[in-house]
Amino acid sequence: NLHSLVQNITVNVKIKAEDGVTLTDVVGEITGLPSSVSLFTGAVSQTALGRVIFRMIPSQGAEYNASFSSLGLFPSESSALYSGPGILRLRVSAYWNGVPKYLYPAINLREVILSSGMMTPVQNGEGYKIALDRVILDIPATLVVGKGYFAAGDGSEGVDSWFDSEKTIDVEV
């Protein structure tokens, strides 16, 4: 019984620009991708995880999507985390009053990944393997980009100001 070792993952994100804001580019990064696979069992583990960076393509309405192939995708340990595996980070580039602005939201995909059924434990309990050849990860909230703020349309907290691309940030380490 031959089974594919990779799965095609599609990520769909809704990003709405308010009047006066023009979205120009969206780049995504997802963490938590296995970096190796057992060719004998098809099993992957959480010991060595990587990430993938991709350009989000605008489609109908406010939806942006991207597809990539992977050995799987692991969720974060908690939906309260915004670093580690199972995190989607975006770089939203936009113009407001002719000035370029950049926003860097992070979205925890734990519940989306778990509800997709994309991974299953192997029988001996030593790792996971992909359960589906194709997975669509629909992000439930609409991200709203305003003139001076960013918010998730699901009522959760957003970012109350833009990262000012014209200022130099000087940090001493």
Side-chain angles (χ1 to χ4, degrees), residues 70-162:
S70 173
L71 298 170
L73 177 61
F74 286 103
S76 67
E77 293 179 16
S78 164
S79 56
L81 298 175
Y82 289 97
S83 64
I87 305 299
L88 169 64
R89 289 181 189 83
L90 299 174
R91 186 207 65 205
V92 179
S93 302
Y95 275 92
W96 172 50
N97 284 343
V99 178
K101 300 289 184 175
Y102 304 95
L103 210 56
Y104 300 93
I107 303 165
N108 186 307
L109 299 178
R110 177 179 172 75
E111 300 307 318
V112 175
I113 294 169
L114 292 175
S115 66
S116 74
M118 64 191 306
M119 304 282 286
T120 185
V122 294
Q123 288 183 349
N124 65 6
E126 294 183 18
Y128 294 82
K129 63 181 180 177
I130 62 171
L132 304 168
D133 290 334
R134 296 190 181 282
V135 178
I136 297 175
L137 302 177
D138 283 317
I139 310 309
T142 298
L143 308 175
V144 180
V145 179
K147 293 178 183 176
Y149 68 92
F150 169 80
D154 61 359
S156 62
E157 293 182 23
V159 177
D160 62 4
S161 63
W162 284 93

Side-chain angles (χ1 to χ4, degrees), residues 11-23:
V11 180
N12 296 325
V13 179
K14 292 177 277 307
I15 304 174
K16 178 184 172 209
E18 291 193 341
D19 290 340
V21 176
T22 304
L23 298 178

